[in-house]
Amino acid sequence: IIILLYFLNTKIENYAELEKLTSIPFLGSIMLKNDLENNIIVADSLKSVMAESFRSIRTKLNFMIVGVDCKKVLVTSSVSGEGKTFTSINLAAIYAAAGKKTILVGADLRKPKIYQDFGLNNDIGLSSCLIHANTLNEAIQITKLENLDLLASGPIPPNPAELIESSAMDRLFENLEKRYD
């Protein structure tokens, strides 16, 4: 039974197993607690174990992209509930805590929720900027965290993939690079 369970186990138990399966660099791991009231945990306690884990990931990212003036980090996965929002918010917060002018772009145009953790709204945002219904200045929201602004997803569009792939998205990032670290 034990051997059968071992062979049927499809979970990755530690980072050593992950390193054997891929050549992608391992930046760190975060212990996720399921009973969190809010995804913003780094800002509340910059000396916590979790904040230190995000600081370690930030440091490793910085070493990987030495010489790049404006850093862009994409957090994605194919399955809901894997911690994209949690990771994005706290990684952005740890960059902001280091004094970097940071913007968090909510690019989930199908099920937006990143704005909720900041107590902000989703009336305008990325989607409305991409269709030129609002300017970037109108869409960017100031969060309660110093050096951290939010560009929420905005209203759910009928064509999210096309908007993300559009030249308007390229121009939006060019504008953001001029304003943020």
Side-chain angles (χ1 to χ4, degrees):
I1 292 174
I2 293 172
I3 293 171
L4 183 62
L5 289 174
Y6 175 77
F7 283 111
L8 294 177
N9 181 16
T10 59
K11 294 182 180 178
I12 296 173
E13 300 293 335
N14 56 48
Y15 78 89
E17 289 180 31
L18 187 62
E19 287 180 328
K20 288 179 189 176
L21 297 171
T22 182
S23 61
I24 298 170
F26 180 77
L27 297 178
S29 62
I30 308 294
M31 301 300 286
L32 178 61
K33 293 168 72 175
N34 291 329
D35 59 344
L36 296 173
E37 292 177 17
N38 191 317
N39 279 322
I40 309 171
I41 51 104
V42 168
D44 296 333
S45 179
L46 286 172
K47 295 184 181 186
S48 69
V49 173
M50 219 172 281
E52 186 57 39
S53 296
F54 278 103
R55 240 189 312 280
S56 174
I57 291 171
R58 179 192 67 202
T59 301
K60 289 178 183 178
L61 275 171
N62 289 343
F63 275 110
M64 290 179 69
I65 53 178
V66 172
V68 176
D69 291 333
C70 188
K71 298 160 187 61
K72 293 180 283 293
V73 178
L74 171 69
V75 178
T76 188
S77 77
S78 60
V79 181
S80 176
E82 289 186 328
K84 296 177 290 291
T85 300
F86 175 79
T87 302
S88 300
I89 287 173
N90 288 291
L91 192 56
I94 209 71
Y95 269 101
K100 300 290 184 187
K101 184 78 173 131
T102 306
I103 184 151
L104 179 58
V105 179
D108 186 346
L109 299 181
R110 289 189 174 93
K111 293 182 184 176
K113 63 180 180 179
I114 209 162
Y115 67 95
Q116 295 169 340
D117 289 304
F118 292 98
L120 299 172
N121 66 58
N122 198 41
D123 298 338
I124 62 173
L126 179 62
S127 62
S128 53
C129 285
L130 294 176
I131 63 168
H132 308 293
N134 294 98
T135 66
L136 195 53
N137 286 338
E138 293 170 333
I140 292 175
Q141 300 179 63
I142 311 271
T143 70
K144 62 184 177 186
L145 304 178
E146 188 176 354
N147 295 319
L148 180 59
D149 294 342
L150 173 70
L151 178 58
S153 301
I156 298 172
N159 58 343
E162 289 77 10
L163 284 179
I164 295 287
E165 294 174 353
S166 70
S167 60
M169 185 72 153
D170 294 334
R171 287 189 301 276
L172 182 128
F173 273 106
E174 287 173 10
N175 287 330
L176 291 176
E177 286 178 14
K178 293 173 186 171
R179 298 181 186 194
Y180 295 93
D181 298 323

